[in-house]
């Protein structure tokens, strides 16, 4: 795969990933990952201080599916919708079928509950640090580290970033 094809595959994966979340197709979200995977949400403060604690840490596709089941059936939270903005997608390394990439993101949250209906706010800003496997023309995340710029999270982080 040449550099242009590699970059296109990464961009397509990132765009499909955020469209899946933004369109509330969350049952499809784990399929963006390999079976053995890591999805981690951590803060810039923790990383800069060498603290290994994450806000969310999942190390298999099964754990990702459990998060969605919990979101749909167990968690109590105000109904909302996310809208992702992604930019500055950059392939940082490519070796064989493995690609490392960085992508800036911002997530706007619009409340849909009766009390706050229609209120939109900037919910999270940071960078995706990804390791992507491309096999048979299909790109999937082996690792997705969501590095949030601050430790301040406005409410329950229930929907994937």
């Amino acid at each position: 795969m040449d550099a242009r094809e590699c970059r296109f595959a990464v961009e397509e994966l990132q765009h499909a990933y955020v469209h899946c979340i933004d369109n509330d197709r969350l049952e499809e979200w784990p399929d963006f990952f390999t079976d053995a995977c890591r999805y981690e949400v951590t803060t810039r403060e923790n990383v800069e201080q060498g603290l290994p604690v994450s806000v969310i840490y999942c190390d298999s596709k099964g754990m990702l599916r459990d998060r969605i089941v919990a979101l749909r059936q167990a968690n109590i939270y105000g109904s909302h919708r996310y809208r992702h903005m992604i930019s500055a997608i950059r392939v940082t390394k490519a070796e064989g079928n493995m690609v490392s990439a960085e992508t800036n993101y911002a997530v706007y949250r619009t409340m849909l509950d009766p009390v706050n209906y229609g209120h939109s706010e900037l919910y999270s800003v940071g960078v995706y640090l990804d390791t992507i496997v491309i096999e048979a023309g299909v790109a999937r995340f082996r690792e997705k580290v969501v590095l949030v710029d601050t430790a301040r999270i406005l409410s329950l982080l229930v929907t994937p970033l």
Side-chain angles (χ1 to χ4, degrees):
M1 177 174 287
D2 68 27
R4 201 170 107 203
E5 292 171 325
C6 182
R7 180 175 172 75
F8 180 76
V10 169
E11 287 181 5
E12 284 298 303
L13 179 63
Q14 297 290 15
H15 289 125
Y17 176 87
V18 299
H19 277 265
C20 174
I21 296 169
D22 291 350
N23 291 304
D24 195 32
R25 298 188 333 259
L26 300 178
E27 286 71 14
E28 299 171 25
W29 174 67
D31 296 331
F32 286 92
F33 294 83
T34 59
D35 289 338
C37 63
R38 179 171 64 124
Y39 172 75
E40 181 178 358
V41 178
T42 191
T43 66
R44 186 168 299 282
E45 288 101 328
N46 280 9
V47 169
E48 289 175 351
Q49 295 177 40
L51 301 173
V53 177
S54 301
V55 177
I56 295 173
Y57 186 92
C58 299
D59 64 2
S60 70
K61 190 183 276 189
M63 288 181 77
L64 300 178
R65 291 193 195 289
D66 285 348
R67 282 197 59 78
I68 300 306
V69 170
L71 180 153
R72 296 289 194 210
Q73 298 178 9
N75 296 136
I76 298 172
Y77 56 94
S79 180
H80 63 271
R81 182 171 302 279
Y82 279 177
R83 187 69 54 206
H84 284 76
M85 306 295 156
I86 56 175
S87 68
I89 298 172
R90 192 173 69 123
V91 173
T92 56
K93 184 178 178 184
E95 260 183 43
N97 66 345
M98 300 280 280
V99 177
S100 298
E102 295 181 13
T103 304
N104 293 338
Y105 79 88
V107 175
Y108 289 87
R109 182 176 70 169
T110 299
M111 299 308 296
L112 302 174
D113 66 291
V115 174
N116 298 304
Y117 184 81
H119 175 75
S120 296
E121 62 190 349
L122 184 58
Y123 181 70
S124 181
V125 175
V127 63
Y128 295 140
L129 305 173
D130 298 315
T131 302
I132 298 164
V133 176
I134 302 172
E135 294 177 328
V138 178
R140 288 195 167 81
F141 298 109
R142 174 159 293 168
E143 294 183 355
K144 185 167 203 67
V145 176
V146 180
L147 182 59
V148 180
D149 280 349
T150 75
R152 184 167 182 250
I153 296 173
L154 297 176
S155 63
L156 176 66
L157 180 55
V158 62
T159 305
L161 289 174

